[in-house]
Amino acid sequence: MCCRRHIRFRVIGLVVFSVACAGSPARAYDTDSPYGVVAFIPSPTRWDAMQDANIAWGRCDFSWRNIEGPSKGTFNWAVTDNAVAAADARGLNIYAGLGYTPTWASVGGHSYDPPTNLQDWHDYVFNCVSRYKDSIHYWELWNEPNLKQFWNGTQAQYIDLVKVGADAAHAADPDCMVLAPELSSAGPASSWMTNVLQQAGDKVDIICFHQYDGGDVPSGRLTGIDNMHNAIVAAGYANKPIWITECGWESDHIGEQRQADYLVGMLDGMSSRPWWKKFFWYQIWEGPTGRAGLLRQDETPKPSWYAYRDYTSAHPAPEVVSVNLSTTDIVDGISRVTVGDGNTTPDTKAGRSCRRNTDAAGGDYYIYFNVDDEFVFQGNHPVVAVDVDYYDLGTATLTLQYDSIGDGKYKSAGSFTLGNEDTWKQFTFYLDDAYFGNRQNNGADFRIFGGVGPTFYLDVVQVRLVSEALPPIPGDANYDGRVDDEDASILGSHWRQIGGVGWAEGDFNRDGAVDDRDAAILAAHWGKGVGEESVPEPTTVVSLLLGLLTVAALAARRHGRRQCFTERRNPPS
């Protein structure tokens, strides 16, 4: 439903920010918004700046050392209570960071030392999540444990801490999401990621890490993110959502305008990688040291703040409806439909509330869903994505069947097979002809089919309108706003590479290979900048590209014109 909104203005420093204030009580932004910022515990001005830029997520410290500092059971909730109230009043989401050991609970007395007794850590997490579960549903388990200044314990000790903390969080709120390992690329990140996932990945709902290395330019950092994604896939966790929860540049090193440009480069990089769900810029305020903030020390906005605001305006968060399957379903635009062959039973897997098909052997082969007609109805928004959180247990094949434009019969959107890894994962189905006219069983619009016999478990199911926003300039591999010799050099360095490549490596048609098709795209847009036409005049680089195409053609003839292209697939989940 829409409500009337009234506009008021406030003055912050030397700049006027406009704020839309709902006539009804504030509610949280859609949690599907990808836009975040590291906020620590913001001042009112910084909260306002986040709201005005449509930055829906603030990553905030809920430090164990500050909340339960004096002794076990002695809590001071004043600061975090105020932060939650401030976020709720503005309709913002908090991603809360748990960590930093109090002196009384620490092996060595320091915040970065492991807890002496993990039961103390369990109790703190349980108390914190219990207190704020009506407002906060996403929880971080420690910050950058692969750096000694934040975690002086062993990797094995951190893995134990993740297991205990995740169990405590899910016990306090079975519908919450636990994020880890929050690694920094400045440390030994890849080996840490692999070991944490292999030993505690079943406890983690969303994988998160920080990206700072990579030649100190967006293209280099995007390559680093792709490399970490490859490590996650290799560890068997391709279908878990990924958040980048820290990345930024200090403007005193690169200048304020370049900082803004680099921010946009990272956001564009996220838009071309569907497995990357959220991005948190470091940070909202630059503070007394390091100029990484969107706001200056006097809290006036920098060009990067304006760039973030303009980007969120041009690329709004996708419209989403969802249902969280539980003992009592949390319905937000999708409802579960009861059908004779689709009975379900509440359950809990790895601490998360969910539902399963009741009698898999006796005929309950499906789980049915209806989408609110105000969201999609009778083909008015045919292009949608359906994200399904499923528990990876057994080897069944799950298929999405839906009401498509046409004869009114169910149509398959594809399938995936469980890998029996005993953990929560997510898969995305892409539909380009959704009708959703309430024409199926008892008014259902789509259903998940688990085959005859297998039991399967689902949690959150959401439908989102797929954005038709334009991608970066075709051929602009380094996201600097112009197609030039730097992009040609990037393409050349990955020439004929198959697999493990993306836009930042020159795979502009996203077919999994860097080849003559990508070179043709670059040549066609040569010299083009943001808002400019291409400059087709031949140059040394374009001639080089044409030479590469000629060489490729000759090689193809010598090999019987066999082309080594990977098969085009649906976007990854």
Side-chain angles (χ1 to χ4, degrees):
M1 290 182 62
C2 297
C3 60
R4 298 176 74 83
R5 300 176 74 83
H6 305 281
I7 306 298
R8 61 184 170 91
F9 297 90
R10 59 171 168 264
V11 178
I12 301 178
L14 302 176
V15 180
V16 177
F17 291 87
S18 64
V19 184
C21 300
S24 57
R27 61 184 295 275
Y29 280 102
D30 289 336
T31 56
D32 202 59
S33 170
Y35 305 121
V37 68
V38 177
F40 299 105
I41 298 292
S43 69
T45 300
R46 296 166 213 165
W47 281 121
D48 292 341
M50 291 168 56
Q51 183 184 18
D52 293 339
N54 296 312
I55 301 171
W57 288 87
R59 178 172 168 239
C60 298
D61 279 344
F62 280 49
S63 167
W64 184 14
R65 194 173 185 87
N66 293 337
I67 291 174
E68 198 180 8
S71 61
K72 184 174 177 64
T74 304
F75 297 99
N76 182 352
W77 302 105
V79 173
T80 47
D81 280 354
N82 288 337
V84 172
D88 285 349
R90 292 166 175 82
L92 300 176
N93 298 303
I94 287 179
Y95 166 42
L98 302 173
Y100 305 131
T101 317
T103 300
W104 61 266
S106 172
V107 169
H110 304 103
S111 62
Y112 49 75
D113 288 324
T116 304
N117 185 347
L118 282 176
Q119 184 63 45
D120 294 330
W121 163 249
H122 174 281
D123 295 345
Y124 158 68
V125 173
F126 183 87
N127 280 305
C128 206
V129 175
S130 296
R131 184 177 185 86
Y132 296 117
K133 65 182 180 181
D134 290 339
S135 295
I136 300 175
H137 305 287
Y138 295 78
W139 297 91
E140 162 195 317
L141 299 182
W142 220 270
N143 172 63
E144 298 185 343
N146 61 328
L147 300 182
K148 286 294 185 182
Q149 62 264 42
F150 297 112
W151 177 256
N152 199 33
T154 65
Q155 193 176 103
Q157 286 174 309
Y158 174 71
I159 290 170
D160 288 341
L161 179 135
V162 168
K163 294 176 180 178
V164 171
D167 286 347
H170 286 136
D173 179 10
D175 292 313
C176 79
M177 297 290 178
V178 170
L179 285 82
E182 208 75 55
L183 302 174
S184 170
S185 63
S190 182
S191 60
W192 267 75
M193 180 67 77
T194 299
N195 291 336
V196 170
L197 292 181
Q198 287 179 344
Q199 298 179 52
D202 59 326
K203 302 289 186 179
V204 176
D205 300 307
I206 297 170
I207 299 169
C208 55
F209 60 94
H210 306 167
Q211 189 64 40
Y212 287 108
D213 64 331
D216 214 28
V217 291
S219 60
R221 294 197 184 183
L222 291 168
T223 297
I225 289 170
D226 290 336
N227 291 339
M228 182 61 82
H229 175 243
N230 291 339
I232 292 168
V233 171
Y237 287 87
N239 286 356
K240 277 193 186 288
I242 295 174
W243 292 13
I244 306 303
T245 46
E246 275 191 33
C247 182
W249 282 265
E250 295 182 354
S251 58
D252 50 341
H253 293 159
I254 63 172
E256 289 191 351
Q257 186 55 53
R258 184 170 291 181
Q259 181 192 50
D261 295 340
Y262 283 5
L263 166 60
V264 172
M266 296 305 296
L267 293 171
D268 280 341
M270 175 172 60
S271 72
S272 64
R273 293 162 170 80
W275 42 264
W276 174 1
K277 302 300 183 182
K278 300 198 192 305
F279 175 77
F280 288 73
W281 178 263
Y282 185 89
Q283 57 184 331
I284 184 62
W285 177 63
E286 64 185 21
T289 60
R291 303 292 187 258
L294 301 175
L295 306 180
R296 301 185 182 93
Q297 292 185 54
D298 63 1
E299 298 189 321
T300 57
K302 295 160 67 175
S304 54
W305 180 88
Y306 288 105
Y308 213 154
R309 180 202 62 181
D310 293 347
Y311 195 94
T312 62
S313 177
H315 306 81
E319 297 181 63
V320 177
V321 291
S322 65
V323 61
N324 189 328
L325 301 178
S326 187
T327 303
T328 301
D329 293 347
I330 302 172
V331 175
D332 186 12
I334 299 179
S335 56
R336 183 172 44 82
V337 178
T338 301
V339 181
D341 57 359
N343 296 295
T344 65
T345 298
D347 209 323
T348 301
K349 301 298 290 183
R352 283 174 60 172
S353 294
C354 60
R355 280 186 174 267
R356 60 175 172 82
N357 49 332
T358 300
D359 186 359
D364 291 325
Y365 307 141
Y366 305 92
I367 299 181
Y368 291 82
F369 301 93
N370 172 266
V371 176
D372 194 313
D373 292 348
E374 292 185 6
F375 188 73
V376 177
F377 186 58
Q378 294 184 347
N380 61 341
H381 294 294
V383 184
V384 301
V386 183
D387 303 316
V388 179
D389 282 12
Y390 65 96
Y391 197 69
D392 190 8
L393 182 65
T395 57
T397 296
L398 300 188
T399 303
L400 186 143
Q401 301 170 342
Y402 67 102
D403 181 18
S404 65
I405 295 173
D407 58 12
K409 297 179 180 179
Y410 278 115
K411 179 179 178 180
S412 173
S415 305
F416 64 94
T417 301
L418 304 183
N420 199 31
E421 295 183 5
D422 206 24
T423 187
W424 282 103
K425 294 185 178 181
Q426 184 182 87
F427 189 86
T428 299
F429 297 94
Y430 292 89
L431 287 56
D432 60 9
D433 60 348
Y435 186 75
F436 289 6
N438 309 329
R439 298 188 295 183
Q440 307 305 329
N441 307 64
N442 293 349
D445 291 316
F446 67 93
R447 65 188 182 184
I448 304 296
F449 173 51
V452 178
T455 299
F456 61 98
Y457 304 81
L458 304 182
D459 185 6
V460 178
V461 176
Q462 68 177 18
V463 174
R464 50 192 168 87
L465 304 184
V466 175
S467 172
E468 301 297 333
L470 292 175
I473 302 170
D476 183 16
N478 61 358
Y479 298 94
D480 67 354
R482 181 170 294 278
V483 182
D484 52 25
D485 54 352
E486 292 183 7
D487 304 299
S489 176
I490 291 171
L491 181 143
S493 66
H494 295 281
W495 187 250
R496 290 303 184 197
Q497 184 174 336
I498 299 176
V501 292
W503 185 281
E505 289 74 41
D507 180 20
F508 303 123
N509 64 353
R510 299 189 179 96
D511 67 350
V514 179
D515 51 32
D516 51 353
R517 300 180 188 183
D518 303 298
I521 290 172
L522 188 146
H525 295 84
W526 185 257
K528 186 175 182 181
V530 176
E532 300 175 357
E533 296 299 323
S534 302
V535 181
E537 291 83 356
T539 66
T540 302
V541 178
V542 173
S543 299
L544 174 62
L545 289 173
L546 294 175
L548 287 173
L549 291 173
T550 302
V551 171
L554 291 173
R557 292 191 188 99
R558 282 196 296 268
H559 290 84
R561 292 190 174 276
R562 291 194 308 150
Q563 299 283 339
C564 296
F565 299 127
T566 56
E567 180 182 357
R568 284 190 78 113
R569 299 182 299 172
N570 285 335
S573 59

